[in-house]
């Protein structure tokens, strides 16, 4: 189906489309999502199709509040509840045993479902208008950089969805942190908007299990978040010397460098939260500019720096 895609801040319009079984772009604090009724198999299928997403990559269910959690999940470990109470609404996704009401297509047949309560005023307003949870992957074509503005969504999905709810630029800028459980122990499967340090403050030391072919998080493929231009991660001044004959676009934290065709400092004050917020827009900007190659610095491995390094590494991976 070919739509005339409208963009606007009207949660009633978005809610009406969603009640009709349509798929709409929605803002969250992390990245924009491509949302639909998460209890309706046909709508979930539309989400996969609009994104060209393989069905083996499960979706996150977005809930309006923590009170809805037991409608969709069961056997919730106490530590999961503690994390939810601390960080929801917020950029934390929990993997919990699913109830039968959640379609198998949402979870790619897994026995667990990913759930979170997003921390964005329009997303919460929208969810309050609905009696179903929203299944929503990031609103980018499969494998490309996640969108952090309504314009990013429009550029790639216009014609494929009827409406994009515009909530302005996302405040966090990288996807949610994904945490699963073995017995009552938390395991981090995707680095994201809540730092490992903040999680460990609640849980004590956690295992971080990030791999390119993680069967527990099948979507964590290496080539995720990739721009179309080659992106290389390393010490930026060394890279600039290596590629002195090319038009280079540099992404780094706070230092001015010489010799780049274009440079984006993600946070002139060295703030890793601000850097995360600006990361994906910077990658998109350089991808669309006339540089030949994108050179990205290695960020400090602390706070959201870990999620930034993770996304850059994936963006740099060939396949
Ligand atoms: O911040 C976010 O999480 C954004 C916004 C829109 O909420 N959403 C997002 O969704 O990043 P998506 O679909 O791009 O990434 C969800 C990830 C995928 O890597 C998927 O494999 C993993 O969550 N996932 C979902 N359900 C899972 C499950 N039951 N077990 C393991 N991994 C799961
Ligand atoms: Mg995604």
């Amino acid at each position: 189906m070919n739509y005339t895609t409208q963009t606007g801040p009207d949660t009633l319009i978005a809610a009406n489309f969603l009640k009709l079984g349509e798929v709409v772009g929605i803002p969250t604090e992390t990245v924009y999502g491509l949302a639909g009724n998460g209890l309706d198999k046909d709508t979930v299928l539309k989400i996969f199709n609009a994104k060209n997403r393989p069905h083996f990559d499960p979706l996150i269910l977005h809930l309006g509040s923590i009170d809805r959690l037991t409608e969709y999940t069961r056997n919730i470990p106490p530590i999961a509840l503690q994390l939810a109470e601390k960080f929801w609404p917020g950029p934390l996704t929990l993997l919990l045993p699913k109830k039968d009401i959640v379609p198998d297509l949402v979870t790619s047949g897994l026995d667990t479902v990913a759930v979170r309560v997003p921390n964005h005023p329009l997303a919460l307003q929208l969810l309050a208008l609905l009696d179903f949870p929203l299944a929503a992957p990031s609103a980018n074509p499969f494998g490309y950089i996640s969108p952090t503005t309504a314009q990013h969504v429009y550029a790639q999905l216009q014609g494929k969805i009827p409406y994009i709810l515009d909530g302005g630029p996302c405040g966090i800028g990288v996807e949610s942190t994904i945490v699963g459980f073995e017995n009552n122990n938390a395991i981090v499967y995707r680095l994201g908007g809540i730092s490992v340090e903040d999680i460990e403050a609640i849980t004590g030391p956690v295992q971080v299990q990030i791999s390119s072919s993680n069967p527990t998080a099948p979507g964590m493929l290496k080539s995720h978040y990739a721009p179309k231009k080659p992106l290389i991660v390393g010490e930026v001044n060394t890279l600039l010397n290596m590629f002195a004959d090319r038009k280079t676009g540099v992404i780094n934290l706070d230092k001015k460098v010489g010799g780049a065709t274009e440079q984006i400092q993600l946070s002139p004050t060295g703030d890793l939260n601000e850097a995360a917020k600006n990361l994906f827009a910077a990658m998109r900007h350089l991808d669309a500019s006339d540089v030949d190659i994108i050179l990205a610095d290695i960020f400090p491995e602390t706070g959201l720096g870990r999620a930034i390094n993770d996304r850059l590494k994936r963006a740099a991976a060939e396949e």
Side-chain angles (χ1 to χ4, degrees):
M1 181 117 138
N2 224 356
Y3 297 92
T4 306
T5 305
Q6 305 290 325
T7 298
D10 195 328
T11 48
L12 283 174
I13 296 180
N16 283 336
F17 278 124
L18 290 164
K19 286 176 193 169
L20 291 170
E22 298 285 356
V23 169
V24 305
I26 63 159
T28 81
E29 79 281 32
T30 57
V31 300
Y32 273 71
L34 190 60
N37 181 345
L39 302 182
D40 180 53
K41 224 172 69 233
D42 294 335
T43 307
V44 175
L45 205 52
K46 281 191 196 170
I47 299 175
F48 280 101
N49 291 341
K51 251 193 90 113
N52 284 330
R53 179 171 172 126
H55 293 183
F56 60 74
D57 195 1
L59 306 179
I60 297 173
L61 278 190
H62 296 69
L63 316 182
S65 93
I66 191 173
D67 303 335
R68 311 296 297 262
L69 188 57
T70 51
E71 289 176 43
Y72 314 109
T73 65
R74 58 191 165 78
N75 297 345
I76 304 168
I79 196 75
L81 213 49
Q82 266 177 278
L83 287 170
E85 279 164 0
K86 171 76 183 170
F87 295 114
W88 285 355
L92 174 71
T93 294
L94 301 178
L95 303 178
L96 296 169
K98 85 176 193 70
K99 282 192 170 167
D100 289 343
I101 188 174
V102 179
D104 286 331
L105 189 58
V106 169
T107 63
S108 304
L110 294 172
D111 188 42
T112 55
V113 61
V115 285
R116 81 179 190 100
V117 179
N119 188 18
H120 189 289
L122 289 193
L124 291 171
Q125 250 181 53
L126 177 63
L127 284 161
L129 295 169
L130 304 169
D131 60 6
F132 48 80
L134 289 174
S138 50
N140 49 287
F142 185 68
Y144 196 67
I145 306 161
S146 295
T148 51
T149 66
Q151 290 70 33
H152 293 163
V153 181
Y154 187 84
Q156 291 183 307
L157 294 177
Q158 61 166 303
K160 295 196 164 172
I161 51 177
Y163 196 69
I164 301 166
L165 183 62
D166 188 350
C170 300
I172 302 285
V174 291
E175 296 84 351
S176 59
T177 302
I178 299 183
V179 175
F181 303 90
E182 258 168 38
N183 304 314
N184 195 36
N185 296 316
I187 300 169
V188 172
Y189 290 106
R190 178 174 75 181
L191 298 165
I194 302 272
S195 69
V196 173
E197 294 92 321
D198 284 350
I199 287 168
E200 288 186 329
I202 306 293
T203 61
V206 292
Q207 242 181 292
V208 179
Q209 271 183 36
I210 313 289
S211 90
S212 55
S213 55
N214 188 336
T216 316
M220 301 301 291
L221 304 170
K222 252 183 156 179
S223 65
H224 256 59
Y225 318 101
K228 299 195 171 70
K229 291 199 175 134
L231 182 149
I232 299 179
V233 185
E235 203 282 304
V236 152
N237 285 309
T238 313
L239 294 177
L240 276 166
N241 282 332
M242 282 171 63
F243 296 99
D245 58 335
R246 310 281 288 274
K247 282 195 225 153
T248 51
V250 162
I251 295 178
N252 71 350
L253 182 58
D254 55 359
K255 288 193 185 56
K256 277 230 158 38
V257 295
T261 310
E262 205 173 332
Q263 178 186 10
I264 301 177
Q265 291 158 273
L266 294 183
S267 171
T269 60
D271 175 348
L272 290 170
N273 294 336
E274 186 185 23
K277 179 178 149 98
N278 294 328
L279 175 67
F280 289 157
M283 283 164 64
R284 272 176 193 263
H285 173 82
L286 291 177
D287 208 19
S289 76
D290 71 346
V291 305
D292 306 323
I293 189 166
I294 304 170
L295 307 178
D297 215 346
I298 298 164
F299 285 69
E301 273 285 310
T302 122
L304 294 202
R306 283 183 80 167
I308 294 174
N309 284 333
D310 173 83
R311 299 308 186 270
L312 287 171
K313 259 186 262 159
R314 285 173 203 282
E318 297 275 304
E319 279 309 317

